[in-house]
Amino acid sequence: MFPSAPAAGREDTVTLEEAQERATDAAGWVSENWSTWLETGLRILLIIVVAAALRMVIRKTITNLIDRMNRTASAVDGTALGGLLVNAERRRQRSQAIGSVLRSVASFLIVGTAALMILDTFQINLAPLLASAGVAGVAIGFGARNLVTDFLSGVFMILEDQYGVGDTIDAGVATGEVVEVGLRVTKLRGPNGAVWYVRNGEVKRIGNLSQGWATASVEVTVRSDEDLDKVRDTLTEVGAQIAKDEPWNERLWGPVEVLGLDSVLLDSMVVGVSAKTMPAQDLAVERELRWRIKKAFDAAGVSLVGGPAEIAEEDAADPSAGMAAPSAYASATSPQSLAASPIPPPASGPKLGK
């Protein structure tokens, strides 16, 4: 019998020599590159480990620093200044904002640097990537410049502690008590209860009415014929009494001073009164001073402008003084009336007959 022919379409089998040659080539290629692979892998692993450890250490350091700031501020909680300037809610929000910003910046720098080092390990040309990132950053900066401006302004406002929760500020576009401080917007509660959302980038100036001290100023207007010494003594007595009473003795940070005459008019005089007060307590002190000054003046017999005044008795007026003199035009036959009358048309003459 003859051997059967190979089936149609069957591929030729690989010989043992070819398989050994391919295996030898693969083993040689692996033996030539395994050291490079190992070195690259170890380098990437080292970069990741160092970046993760550095990120953890920096974030922990920032957290400890913020906690230390809070503990330092807590040391003055029992004092009047501590209760006014470093209240708990203000410290908490400011610390959270500062810590969040610093941790985010640190994480972005560390992770970004590690990513670039890993790409460089794979021998990837970073120049086109960095150029593209720069162009994209410029485009995003132009498109979101308002957002970037708001964010940067908020960061500097928080870092510089320009204001905090509970402060009463004048932001130019709105005035009120700070309810919440954010990196993009600041929330204010207006005097009428309205909530204002002010973008940090739109704030060009800040007037903080809750830091340091405030001044209560009252203008007392009296009649020009009042005794100035009596007015001054009465005001001094009012200032001394309010400085002893609760709770005004705590709200006043200085004596009530009588500044003197601010203006002198024909029918009135203006006497200035001033006092240094706790922050945001000037309006309350002004109202209390006005209340006490009015009561003290009533008791001392000093009249304020606008109050009841003595009216001197005058002679009875002539009843005919308000009557107008008789007019020459009242008589129809007077020369003035005749001269002012319209000229009558001429009388028509007799008709001529034919």
Side-chain angles (χ1 to χ4, degrees):
M1 297 180 61
F2 297 96
S4 59
R10 180 182 297 175
E11 296 181 355
D12 296 338
T13 59
V14 180
T15 61
L16 181 60
E17 292 78 5
E18 292 177 351
Q20 291 178 351
E21 184 179 357
R22 294 180 180 178
T24 303
D25 294 340
W29 182 76
V30 171
S31 61
E32 291 176 359
N33 296 285
W34 76 270
S35 59
T36 304
W37 295 346
L38 181 61
E39 180 182 359
T40 302
L42 291 178
R43 182 179 300 178
I44 294 174
L45 181 60
L46 180 62
I47 292 173
I48 294 176
V49 171
V50 172
L54 185 61
R55 178 176 177 269
M56 182 179 63
V57 170
I58 291 180
R59 289 174 65 90
K60 184 65 175 177
T61 302
I62 293 174
T63 303
N64 293 336
L65 179 62
I66 298 300
D67 293 340
R68 182 176 300 177
M69 292 173 57
N70 289 338
R71 289 195 299 269
T72 303
S74 300
V76 294
D77 274 345
T79 63
L81 183 63
L84 290 171
L85 300 183
V86 276
N87 57 74
E89 181 64 17
R90 175 171 178 174
R91 284 199 314 271
R92 184 186 66 81
Q93 290 203 5
R94 181 168 178 260
S95 301
Q96 287 183 353
I98 294 176
S100 176
V101 171
L102 294 179
R103 285 190 291 267
S104 298
V105 171
S107 298
F108 177 77
L109 293 177
I110 294 173
V111 174
T113 303
L116 294 178
M117 293 177 66
I118 291 175
L119 292 178
D120 184 63
T121 303
F122 287 108
Q123 298 181 355
I124 297 176
N125 189 9
L126 299 179
L129 180 61
L130 294 178
S132 302
V135 173
V138 171
I140 294 175
F142 275 109
R145 59 184 180 273
N146 291 333
L147 181 62
V148 175
T149 302
D150 297 339
F151 181 82
L152 294 178
S153 299
V155 169
F156 283 106
M157 285 179 182
I158 293 175
L159 292 179
E160 296 173 0
D161 195 19
Q162 297 180 7
Y163 54 82
V165 175
D167 289 352
T168 301
I169 65 172
D170 180 3
V173 294
T175 302
E177 181 181 353
V178 179
V179 178
E180 182 179 349
V181 179
L183 294 179
R184 192 180 69 87
V185 297
T186 297
K187 186 187 297 184
L188 302 178
R189 175 77 66 177
N192 58 350
V195 178
W196 298 92
Y197 294 87
V198 181
R199 288 173 43 198
N200 295 328
E202 292 182 349
V203 179
K204 304 303 180 183
R205 62 167 178 81
I206 290 291
N208 197 322
L209 308 179
S210 300
Q211 287 184 352
W213 46 270
T215 301
S217 300
V218 177
E219 293 183 348
V220 182
T221 305
V222 298
R223 294 170 52 184
S224 58
D225 57 351
E226 293 292 345
D227 186 3
L228 288 177
D229 293 334
K230 184 177 182 181
V231 171
R232 182 178 58 187
D233 294 341
T234 304
L235 294 176
T236 303
E237 183 180 354
V238 170
Q241 185 61 37
I242 194 176
K244 299 177 182 178
D245 297 342
E246 295 283 349
W248 309 107
N249 55 352
E250 295 181 358
R251 300 181 183 182
L252 286 173
W253 282 8
V256 179
E257 299 179 358
V258 181
L259 302 179
L261 284 176
D262 287 343
S263 63
V264 179
L265 303 177
L266 292 177
D267 57 347
S268 64
M269 298 182 299
V270 178
V271 181
V273 179
S274 176
K276 184 181 294 185
T277 69
M278 294 171 55
Q281 296 295 326
D282 51 332
L283 295 179
V285 174
E286 289 177 1
R287 297 188 185 100
E288 183 66 18
L289 278 175
R290 293 190 186 98
W291 182 283
R292 291 174 180 250
I293 289 172
K294 179 62 172 64
K295 293 178 64 177
F297 276 9
D298 290 344
V302 178
S303 299
L304 296 172
V305 169
E310 296 180 359
I311 302 176
E313 296 183 0
E314 299 179 355
D315 297 336
D318 186 4
S320 63
M323 300 176 60
S327 175
Y329 295 95
S331 177
T333 59
S334 64
Q336 292 81 356
S337 296
L338 294 176
S341 300
I343 300 176
S348 57
K351 297 182 180 180
L352 298 178
K354 293 183 180 179

